[in-house]
Amino acid sequence: AIEYYEKSLAIMLKKLGSNHPSVAISYNNLGAAYYYKKQYKKSLGYLKQVLRILQIKLGNNHPHTKSTLREIELVKKAMR
């Protein structure tokens, strides 16, 4: 699945740009996939990209932004 998520992300980045909400979804999918493979450092990197986009597009107080912050904390906790 990760291979296809990465291909999808590359296409979206090329067509939509780095701050598009659909790109955030692709980053989130990759973050989740790596989390379940216990590759927490990679997961965290993708989730930070999700957070960056959501903060730009939705702001810090939006539920999706807050949910992403919680996901980041879960990954950090798993890394300990």
Side-chain angles (χ1 to χ4, degrees):
I2 288 175
E3 176 185 348
Y4 294 106
Y5 285 145
E6 288 174 344
K7 287 180 182 181
S8 173
L9 175 62
I11 292 167
M12 288 190 189
L13 283 168
K14 185 175 181 179
K15 297 290 183 183
L16 303 174
S18 62
N19 292 329
H20 194 278
S22 293
V23 172
I25 293 169
S26 289
Y27 280 132
N28 194 69
N29 290 340
L30 281 161
Y34 280 114
Y35 176 81
Y36 289 116
K37 289 186 71 162
K38 298 184 183 196
Q39 294 183 21
Y40 302 125
K41 188 174 180 181
K42 285 185 178 183
S43 175
L44 185 60
Y46 284 115
L47 291 174
K48 285 182 177 182
Q49 290 296 326
V50 176
L51 181 62
R52 179 189 60 78
I53 295 168
L54 294 180
Q55 286 174 325
I56 291 168
K57 296 295 184 179
L58 303 176
N60 290 327
N61 293 321
H62 192 278
H64 293 318
T65 306
K66 290 181 178 183
S67 176
T68 301
L69 283 168
R70 286 190 296 274
E71 290 173 17
I72 288 171
E73 289 306 313
L74 285 173
V75 173
K76 287 180 177 179
K77 184 177 180 181
M79 292 172 80
R80 294 183 196 134

